[in-house]
Amino acid sequence: QVQLVESGGGLVQAGGSLRLSCAASGSMFSINDMGWYRQAPGKQRELVAAITRTGFVDYADSVKGRFTISRDNAKKTMSLQMNGLKPEDTAVYYCHANIVDRSMATKHYWGQGTQVTVSS
């Protein structure tokens, strides 16, 4: 059973930093694209940052220059370094991955979410 588990959320003051981590476990062939999404109360889930298996990255305009996404293919992990946090970054952050399983089928997986709260 493939699982994605996030860690690293919490409460921080505006201007502070947090680092989110996501670890994939279970039987799989490979992990393709990975990304971080977030959902604030009353709002739709939005893409924050994405990274391909080869390391190509993309960011939402709202986080460019402040957030950095990275991954370690050997360890099956992904991280999101968040600096210069703003109150509007407050949301539940979700890890997402497109994973190829042992039957060579590609499926979407989501983590359980981790709360990030930025106080003003």
Side-chain angles (χ1 to χ4, degrees), residues 12-92:
V12 65
Q13 289 188 331
S17 299
L18 283 174
R19 186 177 180 86
L20 304 182
S21 296
C22 173
S25 63
S27 179
M28 66 190 76
F29 179 76
S30 66
I31 303 175
N32 292 339
D33 295 352
M34 301 184 78
W36 289 97
Y37 288 72
R38 67 186 181 188
Q39 187 167 18
K43 295 188 177 181
Q44 288 189 328
R45 190 173 297 189
E46 63 175 355
L47 176 65
V48 175
I51 185 168
T52 67
R53 181 171 179 80
T54 56
F56 179 81
V57 300
D58 194 21
Y59 297 95
D61 288 342
S62 60
V63 307
K64 283 180 180 177
R66 300 188 296 124
F67 291 9
T68 302
I69 190 172
S70 61
R71 64 187 285 175
D72 184 324
N73 291 333
K75 295 182 178 179
K76 300 178 185 177
T77 59
M78 175 179 63
S79 296
L80 184 69
Q81 178 65 41
M82 304 185 293
N83 298 328
L85 283 161
K86 304 175 181 180
E88 51 263 44
D89 293 319
T90 295
V92 177

